[in-house]
Amino acid sequence: MSNEQRAKSKEQRAKSKGYETLCSTLYALCFTLYALCSTLFFCSHAFAEGPSAWLNMNYTDTKQFEDGEKIQASDNLYQNYYFRLDKSVTPIISYQLYLRSTLINSHNTDSKGDTVNTYQRAIEPSADIFLRNPICGFDAGYRRLEKWSTANLTDNSRETTDFYYSRLNMTPRALPSFSLQFDRQNKYDHLPVQKIDATNTKYSGSSWYDVQYRHMKLSYNITLARNEDKTPKEIISKTINDSINGLYNIGYSKAFWDGRINASAGYQGNYFRNKIEQFAAQTGSVSFKRMPSMGIYGSGTQLEPDADILTATITLSDNIYNIPATTTSGTINIGQNGKKFHNTGIQLFSSAKPVDTLYIYVNKDITSDTELIQRSNWKVYKSEYNLPNTWTEINILTVNAHVFDIVNNVYRYEIKFAAPQNSLFFRAINMEVSSVNDVFVTEMEAYGADIIPQSGKITDTSTFFTQGVSFNANIKPSAVLSFRLNYFLNRADQNPASVINSIGGAFANIFTNSIQKNGNMLQSNITRNFGASSTWLIQRYLATTARFERNQAFDNKEKTDIRSDTYSLAFNSSPLPTLDTNLSFVRTYSFDFNEKHSMNSLYFLTVGAKLYRDVNMIADIGYTDSRTYATNSRSADSATSEDTSSSTRYVRGTLDARLSSKVSANLTYGLSSASGSSSSSTNDALMLLTYRPGRFFSLSGSFSVSDTDNETTSSEGILIDWLFLPAVRMNFNYQHTFKDTRPDTTLTDSFSGYLIWHITRFLDFQFSYNYTRETNDTKKETYVFGGYLTCRLW
């Protein structure tokens, strides 16, 4: 390089550095003016009408060492500044103004010394107006988000998002309510040759009403929606989605014979029609997202990894990728400090289109994961019913981990099938945990390939009609005897010939299994459940309950026809005020196309006792016996060539004691063993001891041990929480864990703590520290420091 070139390069670097300094100075000046304006608002009369301002600053520094050598270092600084003004113009008209600014600086250095810098600068002004009264409501607003992915505010890294919305809600008294909604979002970059140019427009109208007349209740909810996506820079340049979703419910309930008989009946339906038109810039095979109905979730165990029925979990399909999904049992952590056997699933609106890939989104960098990228550590299933004995395992081709949105720290596992699958329900089970901590699942999606014709246009119209019929009755002829009857039928039709035919078919299926053949387009799945039980109070200290229940599932394609009959007998006795016992016997027979498939027996005893004052105990003792018979069922997934049997024995219990006014203890234990084609055993115990001398100080100690198939894990820990000043709280936690997997052993020590200081009413500061040392073949150490500052003005 010549001297002239060196001089020119030096001059360019100087200009760039000067530009960076100028941008930083201008930004600091803007924030100073911003904070000053916020303070003036705070001190002015307008504060009484609702101005508020605050800032958050969060800094973390992480260093990782292996055998004393630094292998990774990262630091992250997050700043958020926020100002909002709420003001009423009249008693029914108000407006809101807000300004939000975000700065993110992140640096990540690997073992080779290479550093990856990630920056984000964002500012978002917004204006909203509200008109509210008891009958009518109108909202309208505008937001503009300017975002830069570099430290310098240049057009090369700038993305702009404009968002407009309006809402009109009418809720008249004694008349149907309705709502109209309009949303438009434009997202684009400022490059000379644009890479991002997307426009999304949504229109929707809804109406709902419910009325109660004597013993009858009727309700409906209908929504019409149109969604237009224009993405000229993508393979799919335009998508138009028109849908209609109608729900209705008819219910009747009444009491007879002076309240000795209570009966209720109900009929409900959900009609959903969806039409998608997609225009592509190329032909051939393209992967498309399958429309989800809802996310579903269940939790398995070491003995039974697959849950029988998965429950609805809306947060798994809400298109929010950076916030952990929440289930009835909490978040879904598949990280190293999480749990195995999470049954994470999705229900689709239609099974007409094949699925070949599942995406599981997480809010953690998993590109270094070595466990959950292995096919053997996942199991994937499909089902048409989400019922026991209807799940079929799918062969996995590959599993990969990729980044999805690096700015928002969103990554995803990609699970590809060996062959495309058509089904309504899919679920993935993590048979192991990730090698990375704190891997929380945020979303799940299903994708499949479609062929784009030469015309470049794909039109897909699907109709889904679900109906439910229910009946319940409680009869109490005397004070010591009662009976209960229940019946429920659910019929789900995909692409029915007509609504009338489906309604008539649903009521016909109350008594029969016949389904009208309306061509190859109709896919009809029926589940039916009915049962009867009686409870007899034999004498003051003994009650017995006998129950019979039948569950059925069948379709019109003669691919599924399963039935299970369950008989149970339970005895409940409370001979003492401090003692309650329950002894139950349950037997279930399963049939596939009327051929006996399996028999399961369960015997268990539950004892709850108050052993002494402030000393309580609950214990469960159980035994299960399962037999599967050789069948030649038409269902290939259920056919077996020989008889098999297995059994499980378990004892579980909890002992809770308050030893004194300052000391309490809790013991939880479990022992279980399974035998059959394969055998396993699990023994675990957890002991907690807490000392709380007053309101401001507590000391807790824990000890746990677990032995699963000769893999032993033991852990001891101590937790100290101390409010040593009215405005200052300190917390310390130490955990020591030993894991013996033979021949490998792992020793882990973890220390963490934090200090919270409420400096003033408006200012909080928190400092946190975490140190982890893991020793096996190598010694790995991780240091994490963090600081968090919150300043509130109102």
Side-chain angles (χ1 to χ4, degrees), residues 35-329:
L36 179 61
C37 292
S38 301
T39 305
L40 292 174
F41 269 116
F42 171 72
C43 297
S44 68
H45 177 71
F47 167 72
E49 296 199 39
S52 59
W54 63 88
L55 65 90
N56 297 320
M57 301 182 67
N58 188 4
Y59 177 78
T60 58
D61 188 292
T62 303
K63 293 180 173 61
Q64 295 183 4
F65 296 84
E66 186 171 314
D67 291 334
E69 181 181 352
K70 183 187 294 186
I71 59 172
Q72 188 176 13
S74 64
D75 61 85
N76 182 76
L77 175 62
Y78 173 86
Q79 304 172 65
N80 187 29
Y81 307 99
Y82 193 97
F83 170 75
R84 185 179 69 194
L85 172 65
D86 293 293
K87 187 175 178 62
S88 296
V89 181
T90 70
I92 64 172
I93 300 177
S94 63
Y95 66 86
Q96 180 189 96
L97 303 175
Y98 84 66
L99 178 67
R100 181 173 62 183
S101 179
T102 301
L103 291 85
I104 299 177
N105 295 341
S106 179
H107 311 280
N108 195 327
T109 304
D110 60 18
S111 58
K112 298 179 181 179
D114 298 328
T115 301
V116 176
N117 300 320
T118 304
Y119 301 99
Q120 180 176 314
R121 307 287 186 263
I123 187 167
E124 182 182 17
S126 169
D128 303 88
I129 186 169
F130 310 102
L131 186 152
R132 303 281 170 82
N133 66 38
I135 295 177
C136 177
F138 177 77
D139 304 343
Y142 169 75
R143 289 177 174 80
R144 183 181 181 91
L145 173 63
E146 295 286 358
K147 186 167 64 175
W148 293 265
S149 57
T150 57
N152 301 325
L153 308 184
T154 64
D155 283 347
N156 289 335
S157 65
R158 179 183 171 193
E159 290 183 13
T160 302
T161 302
D162 292 316
F163 179 72
Y164 313 81
Y165 79 92
S166 61
R167 311 276 191 274
L168 175 64
N169 298 301
M170 299 291 292
T171 55
R173 298 183 180 91
L175 290 173
S177 303
F178 71 88
S179 172
L180 300 176
Q181 177 178 332
F182 167 77
D183 295 337
R184 172 167 290 172
Q185 178 176 290
N186 302 321
K187 186 176 182 180
Y188 52 93
D189 60 25
H190 296 264
L191 295 171
V193 179
Q194 275 192 324
K195 294 183 178 180
I196 301 175
D197 183 9
T199 302
N200 174 261
T201 307
K202 296 179 181 178
Y203 312 86
S204 69
S206 301
S207 177
W208 63 95
Y209 187 58
D210 61 82
V211 60
Q212 180 86 36
Y213 178 73
R214 293 187 178 180
H215 304 287
M216 182 173 289
K217 184 177 182 180
L218 302 95
S219 65
Y220 79 86
N221 188 315
I222 185 169
T223 301
L224 288 82
R226 181 181 180 89
N227 192 342
E228 297 181 3
D229 283 312
K230 296 180 180 180
T231 52
K233 304 299 180 181
E234 306 292 336
I235 296 176
I236 304 300
S237 58
K238 186 178 180 181
T239 301
I240 301 175
N241 187 354
D242 295 303
S243 66
I244 177 172
N245 189 4
L247 299 95
Y248 58 89
N249 185 52
I250 303 172
Y252 179 87
S253 61
K254 190 176 182 180
F256 306 91
W257 195 14
D258 297 330
R260 296 183 180 182
I261 299 177
N262 290 280
S264 64
Y267 169 66
Q268 59 188 18
N270 181 194
Y271 177 86
F272 179 81
R273 186 179 186 275
N274 187 66
K275 180 182 179 181
I276 299 178
E277 294 179 290
Q278 295 174 308
F279 302 85
Q282 69 178 50
T283 60
S285 179
V286 176
S287 184
F288 290 93
K289 178 183 176 180
R290 302 310 185 199
M291 181 171 291
S293 172
M294 68 179 71
I296 52 178
Y297 174 79
S299 181
T301 64
Q302 181 75 32
L303 298 177
E304 295 183 2
D306 48 334
D308 287 337
I309 300 176
L310 276 62
T311 57
T313 306
I314 304 300
T315 52
L316 277 171
S317 58
D318 57 3
N319 293 322
I320 300 176
Y321 297 95
N322 60 338
I323 299 177
T326 304
T327 71
T328 54
S329 55

Side-chain angles (χ1 to χ4, degrees), residues 782-793:
T782 303
Y783 300 84
V784 181
F785 302 89
Y788 188 79
L789 179 68
T790 302
C791 181
R792 298 182 298 273
L793 300 172

Side-chain angles (χ1 to χ4, degrees), residues 655-721:
L655 183 65
D656 185 76
R658 188 173 181 84
L659 305 179
S660 70
S661 60
K662 299 178 181 179
V663 181
S664 61
N666 180 278
L667 173 65
T668 303
Y669 60 90
L671 300 91
S672 61
S673 63
S675 61
S677 57
S678 61
S679 60
S680 64
S681 64
T682 300
N683 304 315
D684 59 82
L686 170 64
M687 178 69 182
L688 298 174
L689 190 65
T690 302
Y691 172 64
R692 190 185 298 273
R695 294 184 303 161
F696 309 114
F697 182 83
S698 68
L699 174 65
S700 299
S702 65
F703 173 76
S704 66
V705 60
S706 174
D707 185 354
T708 302
D709 295 336
N710 296 322
E711 293 186 2
T712 304
T713 302
S714 63
S715 178
E716 307 88 33
I718 186 171
L719 173 66
I720 301 174
D721 188 82

